[in-house]
Amino acid sequence: MQKEWSVFISLARWVSIAFTLIVAVLPPAGVFYAGYTRLEAELLGELELKGSFVREIINLDPEYWTFNDIRISEILSRTKKRDQLHFLRVTETSGSVVAQYPETEPVFVWPVLMVEKSLDDYAHEVGKLSITHSLKFVYLKAILTAALSSVLALILFWFLKVLPLRLMKESLNEIAYLATHDSLTGLANRTQFDDRLTSTLEKSRARKSPVAVFTLDLDRFKDVNDSLGHAAGDQLLIEVAGRLKANIPKSDLPARIGGDEFVVLVQRPVDENSLIERAKHLIEEVSKPYVVSGQVATIGASIGISVAREPEEFDPIRIMRGADLALYRAKNEGRGICRMFREEMEFQQKQTRLVERALRSALTDDRFQLYYQPQFDAKSRRLVGAEALLRFDDTFLTNIGTQQCISIAESTDLIIPVSKWVLETACRHATLLDQLQIAVNVSPNLFRWQGLTDFVQERLTAYKLDGSRLEFEITEKVLIDDVDTAVQTLCDLQRLGVGIAMDDFGTGYSSLGYLRQFPFDKIKIDRAFIKDIGASREADAIVKAIIAMSDALGMKIVAEGVETEQQLMLIQKEGNVDVQGYYFGRPMLFGQILQVMANDQTSDEIEKWAVSAGS
C-alpha cells in the first residue's frame, strides 16, 4: 500500500511539475505567436501595398527608376508605424540603397521581424523592398505574460491547486480565432467555412434535409479600390460583411473566401423560390450606396445558388462548383442578378473550355478568316462599303457558330487578341479595297481595353490608311456598361477619322437616348424592321421615322437584311440610304470582293460571287 501511495505521490508530483511547466510556458508562447503572426500579416499587407506603388514607378521607366528616389521615399513614408520601431528600404539587385524611411536607419535593440519582396519590371528582378519592424512590444507582452504565468504556476505547484486557465485560454482562443476568421471583416474564413460545410452536409444527408450555398461576388469593387484607395476598399468590405450578417438568419454562416468573394451557407432552405427571393434581397442590400472616406461609393453584387437535395449532391466540392458555375452565369448575363445552378451549366462550362482552347489554337495557327458582306447605295446600286465578318477555317468552331464563339471570347481574355487580329486584317485588306469603307463589329468588352485607341492609330499609320476608311459598329451595350469611358474612347476614335455606327438600332431599350449622348456617324436599321416593311404599317412607319430622324441629325443610314426587290424599292423611296443583305450578296471571301471591285460591278452583277461564297 505504501509503495502504491509512493507511486501515486511521485506521479502526482511529476504531473504537477509538468502542469506547472505547461502553465509557465504555453501562455507566453501563445501570446508571442499571436503577436508575431498579427505583426507579420500587417507587414505583408503594407509590403504588398507599397510594392504595388513602387512597381508602377518601375514599369513607367524600368531603366531609370532609381532616379525617382524622392517619390519612392514619399511612398515609404506613408506609414502609421513608429519611426524608431519601423524601417523601410528599397534597394537595387546590386544592394545599393535607392530610398529608405526614416532616412537614418534606427538602431534596433530588440530582435526584429523583416519581410521583403522582389521588385520587377515584368521581365526580371530589378530590386527589393524590405520592411524591418522591432519585435519589442511582442517580446514585452510575451515576457510579461511569462512572468505572470510563472508566478501563478509556482503558487499552484506549492499549494497543489488547479491553475486558472484564463490567460492561456485567451491566448489559445485568439490563435483559434485568427485561424478560423477573416482578419479584416471578422467573418468566417475559408477554413472554417469548409469545415462547417462538410459537417453540415454530413448531418443533412442523414436527416435528408436540403442545404444551399450562395456565392456572392462584388461588381465594380475594383473601381472603388482604384479610385478611392485600398483603405477605402477595406472599409467597403467591412460594410458589406456587416450588411450580409444583418440580412441572413443566425443559423446561416457568412464567410469571406477571397478579395471581394463571399459565401453563405444556408442550412434551412425552404424551396427554390424562397432562395431566389433571399438572394435578390441580399443583392438589393449590398448594392445600396456606401459612404467611405467621405465619398459615396456604389457597387453591385451577383449571386450563384447551389442546392444539395439528392444523396449524391451532398458533396462539398460538388455544391461549391455548382454555386461557382451559377455565379459565372449570373455575371455573364448582366451582373446584379442571381442564378440557380442547373445541370446543363456544367456541360456548358466544359463546352466553353473546349471552345476557348479551340479559339486559342485557331488564333495561334492563323485559322481565322474575314468575310465581307457588300453594302450598296440603294438608288445607284453601286458598291460603297463592306462589313467585315469573322469566320473560322475550323470545323469545330464553325459548327459552334461565330456568335457563341465571340461570347466565349468575351468571357475570357481572348476578346482582345481576337479583336486585334480582326482590326489588323481589316486594315491590311482595306489597302487593296480602293476607297471602300470597311465596317468592323466591335465587342463592348474591347472598350475596357485602354490600348484600343493607340492600337487603331498604329494600324492606320502602319498601312497608311485614312481613318475614314474604317468604321466601328457598336451596340448600345457599349454605352450601358460605362458610358463616360465609352464616350471618351469613341470621341478619341472619331478624332482619328474612324466612323462610328450604332448597330441594331431600335432593338434596345435606350437607343434614342444614346443618340443624344454621342454624335454617331451612321445608324444601321435592324433587320427585324426591314423584313416587315411593305407588310406591316408599324414597320413602315418606324423605318420612315428612323430615316427622317437620321437625315435631320446629319447621320447616314444603312438598312440591314434587305432580301427582296420590294424591300429595296420601298427603301429607295425614303431617301439616300445604303443597303446590305442577301438580295445583294452573301458574305464573301476577300479575294471575291476584290474581283467585284476590279470589275466595278453593281449589285445586279454580284450574285454569282455571293452564291460561290456560300452561306
Side-chain angles (χ1 to χ4, degrees), residues 501-561:
M502 175 173 273
D503 201 8
D504 302 332
F505 183 80
T507 59
Y509 295 104
S510 311
S511 295
L512 288 174
Y514 292 128
L515 292 183
R516 296 182 60 188
Q517 289 180 288
F518 182 79
F520 289 89
D521 300 297
K522 186 182 292 184
I523 291 175
K524 297 193 74 173
I525 305 175
D526 189 74
R527 65 183 68 249
F529 301 111
I530 300 301
K531 72 181 181 64
D532 291 330
I533 59 173
S536 166
R537 291 171 53 191
E538 290 80 4
D540 292 349
I542 290 172
V543 171
K544 288 181 181 179
I546 293 175
I547 293 174
M549 176 192 66
S550 301
D551 287 341
L553 294 174
M555 298 179 185
K556 296 180 180 179
I557 284 285
V558 174
E560 294 185 282

Side-chain angles (χ1 to χ4, degrees), residues 287-459:
S287 301
K288 290 179 179 178
Y290 299 81
V291 177
V292 290
S293 300
Q295 299 189 55
V296 177
T298 304
I299 59 172
S302 303
I303 292 179
I305 308 170
S306 182
V307 185
R309 290 191 178 90
E310 301 301 324
E312 68 274 8
E313 295 175 346
F314 286 89
D315 177 69
I317 296 176
R318 181 187 178 105
I319 195 171
M320 287 301 297
R321 184 174 67 244
D324 287 339
L325 289 173
L327 175 63
Y328 179 80
R329 173 67 62 86
K331 294 183 80 69
N332 276 352
E333 291 184 3
R335 306 190 179 195
I337 58 177
C338 64
R339 285 293 178 263
M340 184 75 67
F341 170 71
R342 307 293 183 201
E343 289 295 334
E344 61 268 18
M345 290 182 183
E346 195 151 13
F347 170 77
Q348 291 168 356
Q349 179 71 5
K350 293 178 182 177
Q351 183 80 349
T352 296
R353 287 196 291 268
L354 287 174
V355 173
E356 182 181 350
R357 284 199 293 268
L359 281 171
R360 292 187 189 278
S361 176
L363 190 60
T364 302
D365 299 339
D366 197 23
R367 285 184 279 114
F368 287 176
Q369 293 179 324
L370 277 191
Y371 276 58
Y372 293 90
Q373 185 166 32
Q375 297 172 339
F376 297 89
D377 180 277
K379 291 186 176 179
S380 67
R381 301 196 182 191
R382 303 300 304 180
L383 184 65
V384 294
E387 179 180 359
L389 301 169
L390 180 63
R391 297 292 184 264
F392 309 105
D393 185 16
D394 182 288
T395 304
F396 174 70
L397 293 176
T398 300
N399 291 335
I400 293 296
T402 303
Q403 193 61 45
Q404 187 173 346
C405 288
I406 292 299
S407 296
I408 291 172
E410 288 177 331
S411 66
T412 67
D413 59 351
L414 276 171
I415 191 60
I416 291 178
V418 170
S419 298
K420 289 172 71 174
W421 185 93
V422 170
L423 290 170
E424 174 86 27
T425 306
C427 288
R428 186 174 70 250
H429 287 173
T431 61
L432 300 175
L433 291 176
D434 199 15
Q435 295 302 310
L436 289 189
Q437 185 178 54
I438 304 301
V440 177
N441 292 280
V442 182
S443 165
N445 295 34
L446 198 61
F447 282 81
R448 299 173 190 160
W449 177 37
Q450 296 181 350
L452 175 59
T453 304
D454 290 339
F455 179 79
V456 173
Q457 186 173 20
E458 289 169 4
R459 294 305 88 203

Side-chain angles (χ1 to χ4, degrees), residues 43-223:
L43 295 184
L44 288 173
E46 185 177 4
L47 188 72
E48 187 66 27
L49 178 63
K50 286 182 168 53
S52 65
F53 291 138
V54 175
R55 197 178 293 109
E56 288 179 2
I57 295 174
I58 294 172
N59 292 337
L60 286 174
D61 194 353
E63 293 185 7
Y64 301 100
W65 68 277
T66 55
F67 291 95
N68 284 304
D69 54 330
I70 296 177
R71 188 176 172 192
I72 295 173
S73 296
E74 181 186 357
I75 292 172
L76 299 183
S77 67
R78 299 174 193 160
T79 178
K80 297 180 181 179
K81 305 292 183 182
R82 300 181 183 177
D83 292 351
Q84 65 270 27
L85 300 177
H86 199 62
F87 181 63
L88 302 96
R89 171 180 284 169
V90 173
T91 60
E92 298 181 75
T93 52
S94 63
S96 301
V97 177
V98 178
Q100 62 184 33
Y101 181 83
E103 294 182 3
T104 302
E105 182 176 357
V107 178
F108 295 105
V109 178
W110 294 79
V112 298
L113 170 62
M114 187 180 83
V115 292
E116 63 180 16
K117 181 180 183 65
S118 296
L119 301 171
D120 58 80
D121 63 346
Y122 295 118
H124 60 278
E125 179 179 326
V126 298
K128 288 185 182 295
L129 168 62
S130 64
I131 301 179
T132 306
H133 191 88
S134 173
L135 291 171
K136 174 181 178 181
F137 290 107
V138 177
Y139 272 92
L140 286 176
K141 187 175 180 181
I143 291 170
L144 179 61
T145 305
L148 292 174
S149 60
S150 297
V151 171
L152 289 173
L154 288 172
I155 292 173
L156 291 175
F157 176 76
W158 287 108
F159 290 95
L160 299 177
K161 291 184 178 180
V162 178
L163 175 68
L165 300 177
R166 181 175 180 181
L167 185 60
M168 184 169 64
K169 188 176 181 180
E170 286 180 0
S171 300
L172 294 175
N173 284 344
E174 186 174 7
I175 296 171
Y177 183 87
L178 291 173
T180 58
H181 288 77
D182 176 55
S183 59
L184 177 64
T185 63
L187 295 181
N189 62 10
R190 183 182 288 275
T191 301
Q192 183 186 168
F193 182 84
D194 289 345
D195 291 344
R196 181 83 166 269
L197 176 62
T198 301
S199 62
T200 299
L201 288 172
E202 290 174 354
K203 294 175 183 177
S204 297
R205 181 192 288 112
R207 294 195 303 261
K208 296 183 179 180
S209 60
V211 176
V213 169
F214 290 176
T215 54
L216 182 148
D217 190 77
L218 302 182
D219 302 327
R220 301 185 300 278
F221 173 73
K222 185 177 183 298
D223 297 339

